[in-house]
Amino acid sequence: QVQLVESGGGLVQPGGSLRLSCAASGFALERFVVAWFRQAPGKEREGVSFIRNSGSTYYLDAVKGRFTISRDNAKNTVYLQMNSLKPEDTAVYYCAAGSIPILEKRLFDYWGQGTQVTVSS
């Protein structure tokens, strides 16, 4: 059935890099807006980035210039390349798919289970 699975999280030092993957099964990811959200303990879930099927992208100001979202439709996968990581990037990162290119939780229909990203010395 419809499923999104994130992978690639882990523990990195400040200034390090990670690449997150969001693999879809049961539906064609290229039909959807695909977004990354993140949630730190005790904080609200916030939108980080999205990509449309046109290739148009959006980034939260806090990650602009450091993170890059991309998609490989043949592999039914979306990626989030995260460079120059900061401690404030620490959160559980979630992949989500929906139809509207606005970073609001209620607008996304399908969600992955999340992957932990920890940036610490």
Side-chain angles (χ1 to χ4, degrees), residues 13-28:
Q13 293 184 320
S17 297
L18 286 172
R19 189 178 76 159
L20 306 184
S21 297
C22 173
S25 61
F27 69 106

Side-chain angles (χ1 to χ4, degrees), residues 16-44:
S17 297
L18 286 172
R19 189 178 76 159
L20 306 184
S21 297
C22 173
S25 61
F27 69 106
L29 198 57
E30 58 87 19
R31 295 176 58 199
F32 293 86
V33 177
V34 181
W36 289 95
F37 289 77
R38 66 186 182 184
Q39 187 167 22
K43 298 183 65 178
E44 294 291 323

Side-chain angles (χ1 to χ4, degrees), residues 73-90:
N73 291 335
K75 296 181 179 179
N76 214 21
T77 300
V78 169
Y79 305 95
L80 185 68
Q81 178 67 45
M82 305 186 296
N83 298 325
S84 301
L85 283 162
K86 304 175 180 180
E88 53 262 44
D89 296 318
T90 295

Side-chain angles (χ1 to χ4, degrees), residues 1 3 7 9 12 21 27 30-31 40 55 65 72 76 83 94 103 113-114 117-118:
Q1 294 185 333
Q3 188 174 26
S7 61
V12 297
S21 297
F27 69 106
E30 58 87 19
R31 295 176 58 199
D72 186 336
N76 214 21
N83 298 325
Y94 297 89
L103 282 177
Q113 82 290 344
V117 172
T118 302

